[in-house]
Amino acid sequence: MPHPTDVHVGRKVRDARVAKGMSQTELGNLLGVSFQQVQKYEKGTNRLGASRLWATAIALDLPIPYFFEGLEGGPKPAEMEQAELSRKAIATAAKLHKLSNETLRRQIIGLIDSAFDAEEER
């Protein structure tokens, strides 16, 4: 059974990779491993050692602490599952972040916020 920390770090790797629009094969090539190995890292089946985590952070252009965010109180598996975003949601957020028109980006975020507020009021 994978350790919850390895699962958490793997999910953070997956989220960052998807947000960057990078395939498992592309990340694997940057790390010098197969896409199957990247899959195992992302599932937490295989642990990312210190040097591989360092290489992953460089490949994804992220600081090392990013991979451990949310672990302060010791993650609970049920909470980690609830927090996981869908692949589509992550990709959409990445596209939104890349919009060069700041006004348009704010309008889209406002629309999403309004829709969410309307749903909560029901």
Side-chain angles (χ1 to χ4, degrees), residues 5-82:
T5 301
D6 296 321
V7 172
H8 179 85
V9 170
R11 285 185 179 156
K12 297 291 274 185
V13 170
R14 178 189 167 275
D15 291 349
R17 177 186 58 76
V18 171
K20 299 252 182 216
M22 186 183 292
S23 71
Q24 290 177 331
T25 300
E26 291 169 325
L27 180 57
N29 288 340
L30 291 171
L31 300 178
V33 300
S34 66
F35 79 89
Q36 292 97 334
Q37 185 62 41
V38 172
Q39 286 176 334
K40 290 177 183 181
Y41 290 148
E42 290 182 357
K43 290 179 184 176
T45 306
N46 286 6
R47 290 182 174 165
L48 278 165
S51 60
R52 187 78 69 210
L53 182 59
W54 180 261
T56 302
I58 291 170
L60 296 172
D61 193 30
L62 291 167
I64 296 288
Y66 162 82
F67 300 100
F68 298 96
E69 289 173 356
L71 284 177
E72 281 73 50
K76 296 171 185 70
E79 291 174 358
M80 289 170 40
E81 287 177 20
Q82 291 172 351

Side-chain angles (χ1 to χ4, degrees), residues 15-16 18-21 88-99:
D15 291 349
V18 171
K20 299 252 182 216
K88 182 67 175 169
I90 295 166
T92 301
K95 289 176 185 174
L96 179 63
H97 180 71
K98 290 179 182 177
L99 283 176

Side-chain angles (χ1 to χ4, degrees), residues 77-116:
E79 291 174 358
M80 289 170 40
E81 287 177 20
Q82 291 172 351
E84 184 177 359
L85 292 174
S86 71
R87 181 174 285 238
K88 182 67 175 169
I90 295 166
T92 301
K95 289 176 185 174
L96 179 63
H97 180 71
K98 290 179 182 177
L99 283 176
S100 60
N101 185 325
E102 181 67 27
T103 302
L104 178 60
R105 184 176 336 139
R106 287 183 186 181
Q107 289 174 338
I108 293 170
I109 292 169
L111 175 64
I112 293 168
D113 289 342
S114 295
F116 182 78

